[in-house]
Amino acid sequence: MVCNLPLGWEGRRAVLDEVSGKTATTSFRALGAALADGTQLVECSPLQGRKHQIRAHLSLLGSPIANDALYGGDAAEEEGAVLEAFRDDEEG
């Protein structure tokens, strides 16, 4: 799936701005089936690298990142759960 929604700024958040927003394209790929709690591991590849681009696009698509309260994500039930990103590449 690819999201091509233009982004602008409103306070601390990137938001949809079809009038003066900057081009933002993000490709998404599910890495497995959805879990019992409705969450799913997704690979996200932004083309432009706008600030908060992945977070904003997932929220605009109705699938905010778990624990990302700024963009509408619900808190996980696990103790100590935090919003994290990681890079998985062959170099480690």
Side-chain angles (χ1 to χ4, degrees), residues 8-85:
W9 279 95
E10 184 176 283
R12 298 177 33 219
R13 296 174 31 123
V15 296
L16 175 62
D17 184 345
E18 295 177 325
V19 176
S20 59
K22 293 183 178 181
T23 300
T25 303
T26 308
S27 163
F28 300 101
R29 181 173 68 97
L31 297 178
L35 303 175
D37 66 359
T39 60
Q40 188 171 22
L41 186 59
V42 178
E43 178 182 67
C44 308
S45 301
L47 275 84
Q48 284 76 22
R50 308 266 180 237
K51 188 174 181 183
H52 294 205
Q53 179 174 328
I54 293 170
R55 297 168 72 187
H57 277 170
L58 283 169
S59 180
L60 289 166
L61 293 171
S63 297
I65 297 172
N67 293 328
D68 188 0
L70 185 61
Y71 288 92
D74 293 329
E77 295 180 18
E78 297 87 15
E79 183 177 332
V82 294
L83 173 63
E84 291 189 47

